[in-house]
Amino acid sequence: MLNLGQFNSMTVAETLPFGFLLRNQHGDEAILKHDDPQHADIAPDDEIEVVIYEDKQGQNCASLTPPKVLCDNTAALTVTGVSKHGAFVDWGIEQDLFVPIAQQDRLMQVGLTYVVHVYYDDKYQKLQGSTKLHRFYPETDAYLKSGDAVTLLVTAKSELGFKVLIENRCLGLIFKSDVFMPIKPGQSLTGFIKQVREDGKLDVALQRDDETGRSSLHEQIIEDLLAHGGVSTLTDKSPADEINRRFGVSKGAYKKALGALFKQRRIIINKEFIKLISEEMQ
C-alpha cells in the first residue's frame, strides 16, 4: 500500500496528457502532475522517490518536492483558510493540510503560524494535522538526563513559560525564569535538560546551569577581558540584552559568574567596569 505523507518508491508506468501514472511493486497507483516543478526530467520506466498525498477529489497524487514536514513529524505551519470544520495549513505541496477543530488546542486563525503534527487518521483514512501535541508525544524520556544538549522546537506559550518539543520525541517546559531572550512558538533552538523531575517530566534551559556550564562562562569572561586589554565596561549593571549579545547567557548567570570570579580574586568589579587582576594578564 501507499504511505501517505511519506516518501514512496514508484515507477513511471505511463505518460498522460496531464502528467505521469506512477505504480509501485504492489500495483498501487498515483498521479504525478506536469505542474510539479521537478517533472521535466522524468521518463517512462524511471524509478523515482515521491511523497504521496490526496488531492481535493481524493485521488492519490505524487510530489517530487517534499513537503515542509512528513507524516509522523511536527513543524511550524501557517494557516491559509478556516471553515466550520477546521483549518487548512500550508505544508509545502499543492494540497493544504486539514486540521480538524477537534485536533486544535485553540481555534486557529488565518495568517497565524502554529506548531502542527502531521498524522494519518485511521478512522477517516486521511492525512490530518493536530496542534494537540500531547496526543502524539510523551512528557518523559528514559534516555535524557540533566545537562544533555538538545534540539528544541517551541510549541506554545503557557502561564509558566514555554512548552517545547525536545529532539522531536518528547515534550518539556522552559520556565519564565530561564528565558533571557525573545522566543516564540515555531522557533527552533538549542538548549539543555535542566532537570528530570521525580515524575519523569523534563525542565529545559537555554544555557547550562551546572558546574560545567558555569566553568565555561567563567573562562569566556576571562578570555573576553584578555582580548580587551584586561578591562570591560560590561558589568553586572549592564542591560540584559547586551550581556546576551556578548555571551549568550542571562543577566542572572552573568552576575553569578562575575561574583564567582571576584571571590576567586581573578577580577575587580565596580559600577563602571570590571578589570582583571594583574596576575591574570601574565
Side-chain angles (χ1 to χ4, degrees):
M1 64 178 292
L2 295 174
N3 296 311
L4 293 182
Q6 300 281 8
F7 279 102
N8 292 253
S9 181
M10 308 284 285
T11 299
V12 180
E14 186 178 342
T15 300
L16 304 172
F18 50 84
F20 300 94
L21 176 66
L22 309 182
R23 188 176 293 124
N24 67 11
Q25 60 180 345
H26 304 293
D28 302 306
E29 295 180 340
I31 299 296
L32 174 64
K33 299 177 182 180
H34 277 321
D35 56 9
D36 189 293
Q38 298 188 43
H39 85 278
D41 297 327
I42 301 301
D45 298 324
D46 282 353
E47 291 189 10
I48 57 177
E49 292 289 322
V50 292
V51 174
I52 304 298
Y53 65 96
E54 288 186 340
D55 64 11
K56 294 179 180 179
Q57 288 72 44
Q59 176 179 251
N60 288 330
C61 293
S63 173
L64 289 163
T65 303
K68 296 176 182 178
V69 55
L70 295 172
C71 186
D72 298 324
N73 286 277
T74 302
L77 303 175
T78 302
V79 177
T80 59
V82 295
S83 73
K84 64 180 181 180
H85 302 294
F88 296 89
V89 294
D90 174 15
W91 68 314
I93 58 177
E94 176 194 24
Q95 182 63 41
D96 286 344
L97 182 71
F98 182 61
V99 183
I101 285 182
Q103 289 292 341
Q104 296 179 26
D105 195 44
R106 55 192 175 94
L107 287 179
M108 302 170 79
Q109 300 179 46
V110 174
L112 297 186
T113 298
Y114 300 84
V115 176
V116 178
H117 181 76
V118 181
Y119 71 102
Y120 181 77
D121 190 291
D122 292 320
K123 179 179 179 180
Y124 296 103
Q125 297 186 330
K126 288 182 178 296
L127 283 177
Q128 295 190 150
S130 175
T131 60
K132 295 186 175 183
L133 302 186
H134 62 278
R135 294 185 175 181
F136 305 93
Y137 294 100
E139 293 184 296
T140 61
D141 187 283
Y143 301 99
L144 292 173
K145 59 185 184 301
S146 296
D148 283 353
V150 289
T151 60
L152 306 170
L153 176 63
V154 183
T155 63
K157 189 173 183 179
S158 74
E159 293 182 359
L160 297 176
F162 287 89
K163 299 177 182 179
V164 292
L165 176 61
I166 306 169
E167 292 289 324
N168 200 38
R169 70 188 198 215
C170 61
L171 301 173
L173 179 68
I174 304 175
F175 282 96
K176 288 179 182 178
S177 57
D178 290 315
V179 177
F180 55 86
M181 63 183 188
I183 63 175
K184 60 183 179 180
Q187 187 173 356
S188 295
L189 301 166
T190 56
F192 300 90
I193 301 299
K194 183 177 181 181
Q195 71 167 345
V196 181
R197 297 184 227 164
E198 290 185 1
D199 59 4
K201 294 183 179 181
L202 301 164
D203 296 338
V204 184
L206 299 179
Q207 62 193 35
R208 293 194 68 153
D209 190 26
D210 55 15
E211 185 175 345
T212 300
R214 289 189 290 272
S215 176
S216 174
L217 179 55
H218 295 172
E219 294 312 312
Q220 287 180 56
I221 293 170
I222 296 298
E223 289 174 8
D224 182 72
L225 284 165
L226 287 169
H228 293 87
V231 179
S232 173
T233 57
L234 195 69
T235 71
D236 56 356
K237 306 298 183 184
S238 297
D241 58 344
E242 291 184 15
I243 294 169
N244 180 42
R245 279 197 299 270
R246 181 81 65 87
F247 294 104
V249 299
S250 67
K251 184 171 182 175
Y254 184 66
K255 290 175 70 173
K256 288 179 182 178
L258 291 184
L261 291 171
F262 177 77
K263 289 179 181 179
Q264 295 167 13
R265 299 187 178 181
R266 300 180 71 183
I267 63 171
I268 297 169
I269 305 175
N270 66 31
K271 294 181 179 180
E272 298 179 353
F273 61 83
I274 60 174
K275 183 179 179 180
L276 275 175
I277 300 294
S278 58
E279 287 81 356
E280 291 280 351
M281 299 291 291
Q282 298 176 3

